[in-house]
Amino acid sequence: MTQQSVKPQPTPGEAGFSRKTKTRERALSTASQILLRDGFARLTMERVAAEAGVAKTTLYRRWPTKAALCMELYLDVAGREVRDPDTGDIEHDLKRIAATVVRLQTQTVAGPAFVGLIAEAQVNPETRAAFLAEFAHRRREVTRRVLRRAIERGQLRADTDIDLVIDALGGAVTFRLLQGHAPLTAKFAHALVTLVLSGCKTGSVVEKEHA
């Protein structure tokens, strides 16, 4: 007579966590499909709840606005894709990061999610400042770490304004994404990095002028 193995039953806490995780994944997947298929204008919390089979109260408890949902969508994708390359060279590092961001914004749901986030922030100015500040802080973390390391290694001037460099890179990419006046490509991202770094690398013309 063989003894059958008995699978341990999850505790109530584990079961609840699993349920919440699956609910989150369903909601994000549904929102992603709507954004890619129909665009931000057709994305509503009610539609996400209905198509995902999630209660509206549950959805609003986690994401009180469409902007919050779009932020999590963007950060969820970016968190999986954007990494600190640490090649040993600041220009190579930034080119890899910039090319990844361009790919995310042109080939994945991160693009329409980002555009939607910006649009929603304009519609609801009362929540814009705090909300976008949190979003900006989280999406700039990797680039900030890379730039600080380059300063410590002597690859960038000690007085390099990290926020200004990030704004110059991110602002140009965002402008092309929103305007659509010119292609948003890896080639553009690489040229942009070279241009921005020409003003803050050690040994640059700017540094020599200030010496």
Side-chain angles (χ1 to χ4, degrees):
M1 186 174 180
T2 59
Q3 188 177 21
Q4 293 183 342
S5 61
V6 179
K7 291 183 179 179
Q9 295 299 310
T11 65
E14 290 172 337
F17 178 78
S18 177
R19 235 181 354 259
K20 288 179 181 178
T21 301
K22 289 178 181 178
T23 297
R24 174 184 177 275
E25 290 173 351
R26 278 208 314 276
L28 289 180
S29 175
T30 299
S32 176
Q33 291 170 26
I34 294 172
L35 274 173
L36 290 172
R37 186 174 62 241
D38 301 324
F40 178 74
R42 302 293 298 276
L43 177 71
T44 66
M45 300 295 275
E46 290 74 16
R47 184 177 176 186
V48 172
E51 294 189 16
V54 176
K56 283 195 292 185
T57 53
T58 301
L59 203 65
Y60 277 108
R61 190 158 51 242
R62 184 174 187 105
W63 303 288
T65 64
K66 277 205 305 184
L69 180 58
C70 284
M71 182 176 85
E72 183 147 357
L73 264 176
Y74 182 95
L75 293 175
D76 186 61
V77 176
R80 294 195 303 267
E81 301 289 337
V82 180
R83 295 283 183 268
D84 178 355
D86 196 5
T87 64
D89 180 83
I90 182 58
E91 187 162 351
H92 291 160
D93 286 350
L94 288 182
K95 283 181 177 180
R96 288 193 183 184
I97 292 172
T100 298
V101 170
V102 165
R103 184 179 61 78
L104 289 177
Q105 294 192 348
T106 57
Q107 299 179 31
T108 76
V109 72
F114 180 68
V115 172
L117 171 61
I118 298 299
E120 188 70 7
Q122 305 312 307
V123 174
N124 297 298
E126 67 278 2
T127 62
R128 179 173 59 199
F131 190 82
L132 287 184
E134 179 193 355
F135 179 67
H137 173 74
R138 292 176 63 182
R139 68 189 288 257
R140 293 155 74 100
E141 286 176 341
V142 173
T143 308
R144 187 182 300 279
R145 182 165 65 247
V146 166
L147 290 169
R148 282 176 176 161
R149 184 175 62 227
I151 292 174
E152 291 169 359
R153 290 175 175 174
Q155 296 176 353
L156 295 181
R157 298 195 337 253
D159 64 346
T160 296
D161 187 329
I162 290 177
D163 284 314
L164 182 59
V165 172
I166 296 175
D167 285 343
L169 294 172
V173 171
T174 300
F175 186 71
R176 282 211 176 187
L177 177 69
L178 297 178
Q179 287 285 106
H181 62 288
L184 183 53
T185 62
K187 181 179 179 180
F188 162 75
H190 288 179
L192 175 64
V193 168
T194 299
L195 177 65
V196 172
L197 286 184
S198 67
C200 53
K201 267 189 167 183
T202 50
S204 68
V205 173
V206 174
E207 185 183 47
K208 291 174 182 176
E209 288 177 349
H210 286 274

